């Protein structure tokens, strides 16, 4: 049976069985994550300020501490574990009822996220370690996860559509010293992605944990750019680097990043990804290694020119999720 004909619950079960983490597509495309954040002794992490991603006629705005591939791994591990527990719908609560999840809205503006459902994951540090490929008994890995959860819970996501705004933290909760237990609530966008009620990219944790940091961020971005299967628009190495590092670079830094990208592209599993590089132009195809294409809900106005210049994409290839809304929940999930 084709996957597109399965019920949402059956698709969740299939993805859970394959160790998939579902990432909100807008967050995945935003350039929020860097491969690494290198700090000198005594130096504090930088702050992401008003990082914007156009989405579904509105905009996603992100603010918070810089996060890297390790932090991303922890977030995806939470998403993967939540998917395996996704059908405990009785545990869905409105965001307003979750301590620390809603963010302060400006000028007392109504917070459209207040009545949206959020999912709380109850798990352990050991389980998160296994998802990211670390020793479940490694105390340093436990501390890394605690630190990552603090950073992730400090990120504020603002979704705007017209005059409406939804203001939440990315997650709420975390892990505490001296305890193995973890309680993490995914914000409503991550919850929708996990349940299959919003657009999402599918990241296989078995693949993710075996990649380098650059490869992890690249794979995560590609999984959200190409959530289904087939040929991607051609994309320049420099353009791809901008999405992986979240910024432009020049000179030696740009050359080094292009070289790192070539290595990272070579890391992608060939059973799922076909990659060809013609000078500075990358041709990518995502192969269908499941029983059928995963339907994509909602459309994004983030069009091909944002990824590749006209000279790179002479055929003006558009990805399926850029062509219009698909799926039974599309009409009811517009905007925020």
């Amino acid at each position: 049976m084709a996957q597109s004909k399965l019920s949402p619950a059956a698709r969740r079960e299939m993805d859970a069985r394959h160790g998939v983490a579902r990432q909100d597509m807008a967050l995945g495309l935003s350039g929020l994550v860097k491969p690494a954040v290198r700090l000198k002794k005594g130096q504090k992490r930088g702050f992401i300020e008003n990082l914007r991603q156009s989405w579904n006629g509105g905009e996603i705005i992100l603010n918070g501490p810089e996060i890297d591939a390790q932090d991303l791994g922890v977030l995806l591990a939470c998403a993967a574990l939540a998917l395996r527990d996704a059908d405990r719908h009785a545990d869905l609560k409105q965001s307003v009822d979750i301590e620390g999840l809603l963010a302060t809205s400006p000028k007392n503006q109504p917070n459209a996220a207040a009545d949206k459902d959020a999912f709380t994951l109850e798990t352990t540090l050991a389980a998160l370690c296994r998802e990211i490929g670390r020793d479940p008994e490694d105390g340093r890995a436990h501390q890394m996860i605690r630190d990552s959860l603090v950073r992730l819970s400090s990120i504020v996501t603002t979704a705007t559509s017209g005059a409406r705004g939804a203001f939440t933290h990315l997650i709420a909760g975390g892990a505490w010293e001296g305890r193995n237990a973890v309680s993490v609530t995914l914000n409503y966008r991550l919850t929708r992605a996990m349940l299959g009620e919003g657009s999402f990219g599918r990241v296989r944790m078995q693949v993710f944990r075996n990649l380098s940091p650059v490869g992890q961020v690249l794979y995560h971005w590609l999984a959200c750019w190409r959530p289904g299967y087939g040929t991607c628009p051609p994309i320049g190495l420099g353009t791809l680097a901008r999405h992986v590092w979240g910024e432009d670079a020049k000179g030696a830094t740009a050359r080094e990043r292009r070289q790192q990208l070539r290595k990272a592209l070579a890391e992608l599993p060939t059973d799922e990804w076909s990659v060809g590089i013609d000078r500075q132009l990358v041709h990518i195809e995502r192969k269908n290694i499941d029983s059928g294409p995963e339907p994509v809900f909602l459309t994004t106005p983030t069009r091909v020119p944002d990824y590749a210049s006209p000279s790179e994409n002479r055929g003006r290839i558009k990805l399926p999720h850029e062509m219009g809304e698909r799926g039974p929940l599309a009409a009811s999930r517009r905007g925020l």
Side-chain angles (χ1 to χ4, degrees):
M1 180 183 293
Q3 190 175 0
S4 58
K5 296 181 181 179
L6 296 176
S7 68
R11 289 197 298 271
R12 287 194 296 270
E13 192 278 331
M14 180 178 292
D15 275 353
R17 190 169 64 249
H18 292 155
V20 166
R22 291 178 169 184
Q23 171 66 295
D24 175 84
M25 194 185 293
L27 293 173
L29 292 173
S30 68
L32 173 66
V33 184
K34 296 180 181 295
V37 177
R38 294 184 173 86
L39 301 175
K40 297 179 180 178
K41 187 175 181 179
Q43 186 179 7
K44 294 183 178 180
R45 289 197 177 217
F47 191 83
I48 302 164
E49 189 170 3
N50 293 331
L51 177 63
R52 297 173 182 270
Q53 173 66 46
S54 298
W55 185 255
N56 196 35
E59 193 172 44
I60 307 299
I61 307 170
L62 300 167
N63 288 274
E66 290 182 320
I67 63 172
D68 59 18
Q70 281 193 337
D71 301 319
L72 173 62
V74 173
L75 179 63
L76 293 176
C78 291
L81 291 172
L83 185 60
R84 294 173 205 169
D85 212 9
D87 290 312
R88 294 186 303 112
H89 287 144
D91 284 358
L92 288 175
K93 294 181 180 179
Q94 289 190 335
S95 297
V96 70
D97 295 326
I98 305 296
E99 182 179 357
L101 184 59
L102 292 181
T104 303
S105 56
K107 300 179 181 178
N108 295 319
Q109 180 180 348
N111 192 340
D115 62 350
K116 299 186 186 301
D117 287 338
F119 182 89
T120 297
L121 168 70
E122 304 289 348
T123 187
T124 64
L125 289 169
L128 290 172
C129 281
R130 283 189 284 269
E131 286 300 311
I132 60 177
R134 298 289 295 269
D135 180 354
E137 305 299 324
D138 185 352
R140 290 176 298 180
H142 290 186
Q143 188 58 52
M144 182 275 291
I145 291 171
R146 290 190 184 98
D147 293 342
S148 288
L149 291 173
V150 169
R151 284 190 287 273
L152 293 167
S153 65
S154 299
I155 293 173
V156 173
T157 68
T158 299
T160 62
S161 180
R164 300 172 64 222
F167 313 90
T168 73
H169 292 270
L170 189 62
I171 63 171
W176 296 268
E177 294 290 345
R179 294 174 55 188
N180 191 41
V182 176
S183 178
V184 171
T185 300
L186 308 179
N187 76 1
Y188 78 94
R189 294 193 64 89
L190 295 175
T191 296
R192 281 184 182 176
M194 183 267 292
L195 294 175
E197 297 176 357
S199 296
F200 58 87
R202 300 164 68 246
V203 177
R204 296 173 185 271
M205 293 304 294
Q206 184 176 1
V207 173
F208 180 88
R209 58 179 169 256
N210 289 321
L211 299 173
S212 66
V214 174
Q216 289 175 336
V217 178
L218 169 67
Y219 172 51
H220 169 253
W221 189 83
L222 288 176
C224 293
W225 186 41
R226 197 37 161 137
Y229 305 101
T231 302
C232 300
I235 185 168
L237 275 173
T239 306
L240 192 55
R242 185 174 72 245
H243 292 294
V244 171
W245 276 272
E247 61 188 13
D248 288 313
K250 297 180 180 179
T253 300
R255 290 191 293 273
E256 180 183 359
R257 288 180 178 178
R258 288 195 296 268
Q259 185 177 12
Q260 291 182 66
L261 270 181
R262 288 177 182 271
K263 293 179 180 179
L265 287 164
E267 294 176 21
L268 296 176
T270 56
D271 63 333
E272 185 176 5
W273 299 91
S274 174
V275 178
I277 303 178
D278 180 10
R279 296 183 180 179
Q280 299 298 316
L281 199 61
V282 186
H283 301 270
I284 302 172
E285 178 185 359
R286 191 175 195 181
K287 305 174 188 177
N288 185 353
I289 59 175
D290 295 319
S291 58
E294 178 73 14
V296 177
F297 300 92
L298 305 180
T299 179
T300 166
T302 308
R303 301 298 184 184
V304 170
D306 292 331
Y307 306 121
S309 67
S311 62
E312 292 172 355
N313 185 27
R314 295 184 182 89
R316 300 296 194 277
I317 298 172
K318 288 185 178 181
L319 299 177
H321 64 280
E322 296 175 324
M323 296 180 183
E325 297 184 351
R326 295 193 297 158
L329 298 176
S332 64
R333 294 296 186 184
R334 295 178 185 272
L336 302 174

